[in-house]
Amino acid sequence: MDKSARRKPKKQKNHLKKRFFIFATLALILVVGSYFSERLCPYDPYEQNLSIAKASPSLAHPFGTDRYGRDMLSRVIVGSKTSIYSTLLLVVGITVIGTIVGIICGWNGKKLDTILMRISDIFLAFPGLVFALAVAAVMGGGVQNAVIALGAISWPKYARIARSQTLAQKESLYMRAAILSGCSTGKLILKHILPNITGPILVTAMLDIGTMMMELAGLSFLGLGAKPPVAEWGSMMSDTRNLLTTHPWVTFAPGIAIFLSVMVFNLLGDTVRDLLDPRNER
């Protein structure tokens, strides 16, 4: 193999690392910025001033104001905390629960595997967002109930991935050697199984952040998530949708925030997937 052929994978790997650094930095800015969102707001996001209601974008109010005269930039900034952290909590929850269920099924097998996998099949048989709508409607509105509703329908995917990866690792030669050496079940799972199945699960979780963010915003838009006056991007779009034709900036502001956040997390997930691709190690 000539030098140019050997340099190509190395350049591609370096390019992926640069992409990862850029998108990870942007994602970190979103997460940290949303945590300190109240301090970053130029105005009180809940203060009403009817004298400037529905004001057009200006230097004083870059995103304009809503029907109550509340500054839209401040509301978008403070709404990031609810939208982003609810999404991260949801993704972490379904990843942990699904992984635990998948490892239990793949390791133990037999009746427990059959029961848990049939339960996951029942959840997977329903259209995801439709089932979440039904659960959220039964439980009532609120961000917490919306997170629970989406979590109830989303964990089986991770359970399936963890189960298939556990079964593959369980039959490998190194696992048989570890079993023969007398390793305990806990040590086998924590030291051998879990580290080797983390890659596919992590990639799935990273790519799910954008999807879950949009679905949470969708539930809020339909009135089954955050309730006004709580600043949350989906509920803000719902609250201002009847002004779309006359004062579109009040709806576009949270919509653009959702678009940019989802794009950053999706690009970060794509980059993590490419970095963990074994073909890029060569």
Side-chain angles (χ1 to χ4, degrees):
M1 184 182 294
D2 59 17
K3 291 183 179 179
S4 62
R6 288 196 298 268
R7 271 194 220 104
K8 188 175 180 181
K10 187 175 181 180
K11 286 183 179 179
Q12 185 177 7
K13 189 74 173 179
N14 290 335
H15 176 66
L16 286 174
K17 288 181 179 179
K18 290 179 182 177
R19 278 178 51 193
F20 174 77
F21 176 77
I22 292 171
F23 296 132
T25 301
L26 291 174
L28 185 62
I29 290 172
L30 283 174
V31 173
V32 175
S34 63
Y35 183 80
F36 296 102
S37 57
E38 284 110 4
R39 300 182 184 180
L40 298 175
C41 295
Y43 301 95
D44 183 346
Y46 298 103
E47 183 181 359
Q48 299 182 16
N49 185 355
L50 296 178
S51 64
I52 57 170
K54 303 177 187 177
S56 302
S58 61
L59 290 177
H61 302 281
F63 289 171
T65 61
D66 63 7
R67 72 182 73 196
Y68 302 109
R70 297 174 296 192
D71 179 59
M72 285 304 298
L73 175 60
S74 299
R75 288 184 62 76
V76 168
I77 292 174
V78 80
S80 64
K81 189 171 187 178
T82 303
S83 298
I84 292 176
Y85 277 89
S86 296
T87 301
L88 294 178
L89 176 64
L90 170 61
V91 173
V92 170
I94 60 178
T95 302
V96 172
I97 293 172
T99 301
I100 292 173
V101 172
I103 290 176
I104 291 173
C105 292
W107 185 259
N108 289 327
K110 300 179 181 179
K111 290 184 178 180
L112 186 60
D113 179 26
T114 302
I115 293 171
L116 290 175
M117 285 301 100
R118 295 300 77 78
I119 292 174
S120 72
D121 288 340
I122 293 173
F123 282 104
L124 290 172
F126 293 94
L129 191 55
V130 175
F131 183 83
L133 283 170
V135 174
V138 170
M139 297 180 66
V143 176
Q144 181 179 351
N145 290 338
V147 169
I148 293 173
L150 287 173
I153 196 63
S154 302
W155 67 267
K157 173 171 55 178
Y158 293 89
R160 289 282 181 182
I161 295 172
R163 177 180 178 272
S164 63
Q165 293 291 319
T166 300
L167 288 172
Q169 296 296 326
K170 186 179 177 181
E171 299 301 323
S172 62
L173 292 176
Y174 82 90
M175 277 298 298
R176 294 181 182 180
I179 293 172
L180 291 174
S181 68
C183 288
S184 64
T185 300
K187 188 175 181 180
L188 288 171
I189 292 175
L190 294 176
K191 188 176 180 180
H192 298 289
I193 296 290
L194 194 57
N196 286 290
I197 70 173
T198 300
I201 294 172
L202 177 62
V203 170
T204 304
M206 293 298 299
L207 293 172
D208 244 5
I209 293 176
T211 302
M212 292 296 111
M213 187 177 292
M214 288 190 294
E215 292 190 355
L216 270 175
L219 288 179
S220 295
F221 184 85
L222 295 172
L224 297 173
K227 298 291 186 181
V230 174
E232 193 273 341
W233 293 338
S235 65
M236 288 165 62
M237 292 185 69
S238 176
D239 190 44
T240 60
R241 65 184 185 274
N242 57 349
L243 300 175
L244 185 59
T245 56
T246 56
H247 304 84
W249 54 85
V250 293
T251 305
F252 285 164
I256 292 172
I258 294 173
F259 168 75
L260 292 176
S261 300
V262 170
M263 183 178 67
V264 167
F265 284 111
N266 279 349
L267 290 172
L268 177 59
D270 288 338
T271 306
V272 171
R273 179 193 59 198
D274 294 339
L275 273 173
L276 295 178
D277 191 337
R279 291 173 294 182
N280 292 322
E281 297 293 336
R282 295 198 292 265

